[in-house]
Amino acid sequence: MSRVKGNCDNFNAVHHQSLLLPAKQVIGSSLKHHPVGEPITKTGAAIQASGEAVYVDDIPSPANCLHGALIYSTKPLARVKGVGFKSCSPPNGIVALISSKDIPKGGENIGSKTIFGTEPLFADDLTRCVGERIALVVADTQRHADVAANLALVDYETKHLEAPILTVEEAVERSSFFEVPPYVCPKPIGDFSKGMAEADHKIVSAEIRLPSQYYFYMETQTALAVPDEDNCMVIYTSNQCPEFLHSTTARCLGVTEHSVRVITRRVGGGFGGKAMKAIPIATACALAAQKLRRPVRMYVNRKTDMIMAGGRHPMKINYTVGFKSDGKITALHLDVLVNAGMVEDASPVLPLNIVAALKKYDWGALSFDMKVCKTNHTSKSTMRAPGEVQGSFIAEAVIEHVASSISMEVDAVRNRNLHTHNSLSFFYEDSAGEPDEYTLPAIWQNLAQSSSFYQRLEMVKQWNDSHEWRKRGVSRLPIVHEVSLRPTPGKVSILTDGSIVVEVGGIELGQGLWTKVKQMAAFALGLIQCDGTEYLLDKVRVIQSDSLSLIQGGFTAGSTTSETSCEAVRLCCNILVERLTPLKETLQKQMSSVTWDTLVLQAYAQAVNLSASTFYVPNFTSMRYLNYGAAVSEVEIDLLTGETTILQSDIIYDCGQSLNPAVDLGQIEGAFVQGIGFFMLEEYLTNTEGMVIADGTWTYKIPTIDTIPKQLNVEVMNSGHHQKRILSSKASGEPPLLLAASVHCATRAAIKEARQQLLRWSGLDEPDTMFQLSVPATMPVVKELCGLDIVEKYLMRSSAA
């Protein structure tokens, strides 16, 4: 009885841990550009936590406001003959049913656009995928609109239509591809044939499949369109690309662009899903508002959002690799099929991004054939680290396969294929930077030391030898992530009381952009060196994006918008400091000291222009650069259930001279956890026709307190000064997501131990290392790879003993 009680106590100790998980966070601050570089609290954090922050759905409805809900296709390819309702009489509260037929004369059926093409707002006579918008139900309340959309009956016809293309293999058979323009087409590196000829071993046509992932922002797609005087339309939107929405809506309504005004205060999570995918939501509201001359708003429910979102691009990859007996890879070739869905969106950039992340190792020579497939699925769009997360994982899968085939420790193979600065320059050309900027080797070694990596490898081996039903694995991997700067506008104005208002093209998505912008404004204006300028941070306010107030805002994506917005603000402030300096010098001659408030009042009195606008355009030679990081993860798997517990993850990530190390720390941790979702948990499943069946939290599982690392240690590395970077800073939003592959690789190591044990129980000595762990590595996947019959084998062994 006491033995049973002891076992129960142990069980409770394991499964009822404190919700306060241990962690070590190492950040550094810099006083050189005060207050830039200091870990100040993120702007708006308190009102976000209290629920006071105003998002689009929090804006009070104007008088006579209507509500919309989308009716979407349930067929992958069909003619749409009509839309009705299940009951004889229309559902309660319906005011109108808006479709492509309601687009005004002179307008276009356009729902979103990128540099590669456009997407229709509504299906015309033909719907080309499940989830395509067919119509908008407009009702007196959101509930009535949602109920009506659920009761909608679409009359489909499929006669004389070809079968839909629902797989990338079918796309290849029917040559259904999107063109990849030359300017975003990646180039092969080295001589593949020569590299293969030098190889001692070869792996030919190994296959990897990577799935999709849903954005799972807290705030789903939402917008409010309000007709204004003079035939204008004001749109409040949760959007990463207000400029794109602005022009799209004008084209749809058939009006001039000065007749549309788009306002975005903040976005409740984007991850790329509030870029192109947010545009048709707002455009549909605007179309209905124009037709009915009443405000129209919409908050898309989670199920509909998941069905229509599209998400990350699924892929099929085949690779052939040649390598030496010491693990040095001499050549790699990839055949990649990207499922882009029914329209281009931003999909043509995927090949470039895949290759950029894949190049983190020295492959000797690298060649590829990448096809962006046009299929009858919802269009896939950019999601945090689009293409890069897949490319980085493909690299690790190849490394793991090479190590297994020559029975070599995988970490040794990674070490063998890390870049020197010479090979880095060969693979990345101008993005590689100077030798002292290549911090990955130092990160790699420092992480081994700070995480006790080699000691833990030995401890894991000992632990596995003494535990039959639970196995552990540990893995270390690097990332090299290329980013690009984009042109960004900014405007800074100083008011009579000395307070400062700032506008930038970048959108606050929760990534701390406003915080860094405020710090930059305080630093740059502080260079005037008046009394009181040390307190300027409290005087700065960043205001919402308004597409008529500040044009050419571009899109907030790619991890670099915070730094480019900061640079635009710095340039504005430099102009203001230049205007104020002569006045300050004059005042100093008249009085012993000049305060900031006095200087501003005198500037107003003497008609000095205290508002400045700029458009920061990055230098072509320095607009692309590389980010570096590494992670070690240790996991424990339960052989009987397939449950994976992440015991510890250690991360070192180079932020250059961080603009705000506390904000960057949050970005690193958040990206890593979102990556865990992709690699371990999130199954964005569809049926054979492309209908999303994982359409809510009951079936779609994101990381929670139970599935994140039990201990997460993060070091924000402040590396040396990078002269070509903005105040020597580097991006942090997307690259750390790639590091979550360390959890997947550690899980594979643990499964490998379980399979070796199973072989020993069977009386076999040969190694069993050739297996592939799919993404995501869910419990059933892990359990099956560990061997479903291990309990019986254990019982047989016990009875024989």
Side-chain angles (χ1 to χ4, degrees):
M1 185 69 179
S2 60
R3 182 179 176 183
V4 171
K5 183 179 185 302
N7 288 340
C8 288
D9 290 342
N10 290 335
F11 177 86
N12 290 333
V14 172
H15 292 277
H16 295 280
Q17 299 178 7
S18 168
L19 293 181
L20 297 174
L21 302 181
K24 182 174 73 173
Q25 299 170 326
V26 179
I27 61 174
S29 60
S30 171
L31 299 178
K32 182 177 180 180
H33 302 113
H34 171 82
V36 172
E38 294 187 22
I40 68 170
T41 302
K42 191 176 81 171
T43 299
I47 59 174
Q48 279 183 295
S50 65
E52 297 170 88
V54 177
Y55 293 87
V56 173
D57 200 49
D58 297 317
I59 299 171
S61 292
N64 299 317
C65 187
L66 299 172
H67 301 257
L70 289 163
I71 298 171
Y72 53 82
S73 172
T74 57
K75 298 290 184 183
L77 184 63
R79 293 187 184 87
V80 178
K81 299 180 68 178
V83 180
F85 295 96
K86 294 178 182 178
S87 57
C88 296
S89 58
N92 291 335
I94 287 186
V95 175
L97 191 65
I98 306 294
S99 69
S100 61
K101 297 180 178 66
D102 295 289
I103 293 173
K105 184 178 180 180
E108 301 176 46
N109 184 17
I110 178 174
S112 70
K113 69 166 190 173
T114 68
I115 59 174
F116 303 111
T118 62
E119 179 175 347
L121 178 59
F122 295 116
D124 290 318
D125 297 329
L126 192 72
T127 178
R128 295 174 292 161
C129 73
V130 169
E132 184 176 14
R133 297 170 297 277
I134 291 178
L136 178 74
V137 177
V138 181
D140 57 352
T141 68
Q142 188 66 61
R143 177 177 174 79
H144 282 159
D146 288 338
V147 168
N150 288 333
L151 292 174
L153 284 176
V154 181
D155 186 8
Y156 300 104
E157 182 182 77
T158 58
K159 289 181 181 179
H160 309 301
L161 289 176
E162 289 186 328
I165 299 172
L166 294 169
T167 67
V168 290
E169 290 86 355
E170 291 171 353
V172 171
E173 289 174 9
R174 292 161 63 174
S175 297
S176 179
F177 307 117
F178 290 117
E179 180 184 356
V180 177
Y183 60 90
V184 291
C185 192
K187 298 176 182 178
I189 299 165
D191 187 334
F192 175 75
S193 299
K194 182 174 179 289
M196 290 300 285
E198 294 171 352
D200 299 326
H201 310 274
K202 298 174 183 177
I203 298 171
V204 180
S205 294
E207 183 180 300
I208 305 170
R209 287 185 181 266
L210 293 173
S212 186
Q213 183 184 18
Y214 173 58
Y215 305 100
F216 226 105
Y217 22 61
M218 295 296 287
E219 172 200 43
T220 62
Q221 303 287 10
T222 181
L224 166 63
V226 183
D228 202 359
E229 63 183 28
D230 201 21
N231 199 34
C232 291
M233 186 66 63
V234 180
I235 303 172
Y236 300 88
T237 176
S238 176
N239 196 307
Q240 294 174 238
C241 309
E243 180 189 2
F244 285 26
L245 169 60
H246 188 125
S247 59
T248 298
T249 302
R251 286 174 61 181
C252 180
L253 301 185
V255 299
T256 55
E257 289 194 14
H258 71 229
S259 300
V260 177
R261 182 184 179 198
V262 177
I263 296 173
T264 304
R265 176 175 287 184
R266 57 172 60 87
V267 173
F271 316 120
K274 296 287 183 66
M276 301 307 120
K277 294 295 183 179
I279 296 175
I281 306 303
T283 303
C285 288
L287 177 62
Q290 186 198 55
K291 179 178 176 62
L292 302 172
R293 301 310 302 167
R294 292 173 63 178
V296 177
R297 72 187 314 162
M298 175 165 38
Y299 192 92
V300 181
N301 64 67
R302 181 67 71 181
K303 178 178 179 178
T304 301
D305 195 87
M306 294 189 76
I307 288 171
M308 299 177 62
R312 198 182 288 282
H313 293 75
M315 297 179 190
K316 178 186 176 183
I317 305 102
N318 287 89
Y319 62 86
T320 295
V321 60
F323 48 98
K324 298 281 193 180
S325 296
D326 64 355
K328 179 66 187 81
I329 295 170
T330 57
L332 173 65
H333 176 80
L334 298 173
D335 292 296
V336 181
L337 300 176
V338 178
N339 188 338
M342 72 170 188
V343 296
E344 295 98 328
D345 198 280
S347 298
V349 305
L350 264 290
L352 185 68
N353 291 1
I354 292 167
V355 172
L358 183 80
K359 293 188 297 187
K360 67 179 180 176
Y361 290 114
D362 177 7
W363 304 109
L366 177 61
S367 67
F368 36 80
D369 180 11
M370 300 197 182
K371 292 182 170 60
V372 179
C373 300
K374 181 179 180 179
T375 64
N376 293 106
H377 286 277
T378 49
S379 59
K380 310 306 172 189
S381 194
T382 53
M383 182 173 180
R384 200 174 194 174
E388 290 100 345
V389 66
Q390 293 98 331
S392 190
F393 176 77
I394 292 166
E396 297 305 335
V398 172
I399 291 286
E400 298 261 357
H401 198 165
V402 167
S404 295
S405 63
I406 54 177
S407 299
M408 202 172 161
E409 286 290 338
V410 67
D411 194 72
V413 178
R414 288 193 176 101
N415 272 313
R416 186 72 182 84
N417 291 284
L418 287 177
H419 281 293
T420 62
H421 187 263
N422 285 338
S423 65
L424 187 79
S425 299
F426 179 57
F427 274 74
Y428 286 98
E429 298 179 330
D430 295 337
S431 300
E434 300 301 320
D436 61 350
E437 293 181 283
Y438 180 40
T439 57
L440 183 58
I443 291 172
W444 192 245
Q445 295 304 320
N446 292 344
L447 182 64
Q449 203 167 30
S450 63
S451 68
S452 304
F453 175 66
Y454 294 112
Q455 296 93 318
R456 284 165 65 190
L457 277 175
E458 291 302 316
M459 291 169 62
V460 164
K461 288 178 182 177
Q462 294 173 18
W463 199 92
N464 286 336
D465 288 342
S466 58
H467 291 78
E468 293 183 332
W469 301 112
R470 302 184 80 86
K471 298 294 179 184
R472 291 182 178 178
V474 62
S475 181
R476 173 177 61 154
L477 59 83
I479 60 162
V480 177
H481 191 289
E482 188 176 37
V483 297
S484 180
L485 305 180
R486 293 183 304 279
T488 307
K491 182 179 180 182
V492 178
S493 303
I494 305 172
L495 306 181
T496 55
D497 63 352
S499 61
I500 302 142
V501 62
V502 177
E503 295 177 73
V504 290
I507 303 300
E508 177 60 58
L509 312 175
Q511 83 281 40
L513 181 147
W514 281 3
T515 311
K516 292 179 178 180
V517 163
K518 285 182 63 174
Q519 289 174 274
M520 181 63 81
F523 158 70
L525 287 176
L527 295 177
I528 194 71
Q529 294 183 338
C530 288
D531 289 350
T533 52
E534 63 270 28
Y535 305 112
L536 284 183
L537 184 65
D538 295 332
K539 292 179 176 288
V540 180
R541 181 187 179 197
V542 185
I543 62 172
Q544 63 192 16
S545 167
D546 184 327
S547 62
L548 288 184
S549 175
L550 194 69
I551 66 168
Q552 296 176 282
F555 52 96
T556 299
S559 302
T560 59
T561 314
S562 291
E563 61 197 87
T564 56
S565 294
C566 282
E567 182 63 4
V569 166
R570 189 177 74 88
L571 294 176
C572 290
C573 293
N574 289 347
I575 295 170
L576 294 172
V577 168
E578 185 178 353
R579 292 174 185 168
L580 287 168
T581 297
L583 176 59
K584 176 208 165 188
E585 292 173 349
T586 300
L587 292 173
Q588 277 183 327
K589 293 175 183 177
Q590 301 171 1
M591 55 187 75
S592 58
S593 64
V594 180
T595 66
W596 170 257
D597 292 347
T598 299
L599 177 63
V600 171
L601 282 174
Q602 286 298 314
Y604 267 86
Q606 298 188 30
V608 176
N609 183 359
L610 292 186
S611 182
S613 300
T614 59
F615 189 59
Y616 165 62
V617 180
N619 188 301
F620 181 77
T621 60
S622 61
M623 65 186 296
R624 302 180 76 86
Y625 67 87
L626 301 179
N627 295 271
Y628 307 108
V632 169
S633 288
E634 182 178 347
V635 307
E636 181 177 304
I637 61 172
D638 186 321
L639 277 61
L640 301 181
T641 66
E643 179 187 17
T644 299
T645 302
I646 309 172
L647 301 176
Q648 183 173 323
S649 290
D650 296 80
I651 298 169
I652 298 180
Y653 182 77
D654 181 4
C655 279
Q657 296 289 308
S658 172
L659 297 174
N660 184 320
V663 167
D664 286 332
L665 175 71
Q667 286 292 286
I668 294 166
E669 292 176 334
F672 186 78
V673 169
Q674 192 168 42
I676 289 172
F678 176 68
F679 286 113
M680 303 299 296
L681 299 166
E682 298 176 35
E683 295 182 285
Y684 199 18
L685 302 175
T686 61
N687 64 17
T688 55
E689 291 196 323
M691 172 64 78
V692 171
I693 54 177
D695 56 9
T697 54
W698 188 255
T699 49
Y700 191 88
K701 303 302 179 185
I702 61 174
T704 65
I705 192 72
D706 295 321
T707 50
I708 64 174
K710 299 304 177 188
Q711 180 162 350
L712 179 59
N713 303 320
V714 180
E715 178 182 343
V716 180
M717 176 182 176
N718 271 8
S719 61
H721 293 279
H722 306 280
Q723 296 303 320
K724 294 182 179 180
R725 307 278 67 81
I726 294 163
L727 295 191
S728 297
S729 65
K730 300 182 77 174
S732 65
E734 294 174 288
L737 188 146
L738 281 56
L739 292 171
S742 61
V743 175
H744 191 274
C745 292
T747 304
R748 188 184 186 280
I751 294 171
K752 178 180 173 182
E753 289 297 317
R755 292 167 70 89
Q756 289 297 115
Q757 176 179 268
L758 185 58
L759 283 172
R760 290 194 298 271
W761 288 353
S762 303
L764 302 174
D765 293 328
E766 70 268 15
D768 176 35
T769 56
M770 307 302 289
F771 67 93
Q772 187 180 106
L773 178 60
S774 62
V775 175
T778 58
M779 286 176 63
V781 169
V782 173
K783 179 180 178 181
E784 182 176 356
L785 284 174
C786 288
L788 294 176
D789 61 346
I790 55 175
V791 178
E792 294 179 7
K793 288 185 179 293
Y794 176 75
L795 292 175
M796 288 171 61
R797 188 185 68 147
S798 299
S799 61

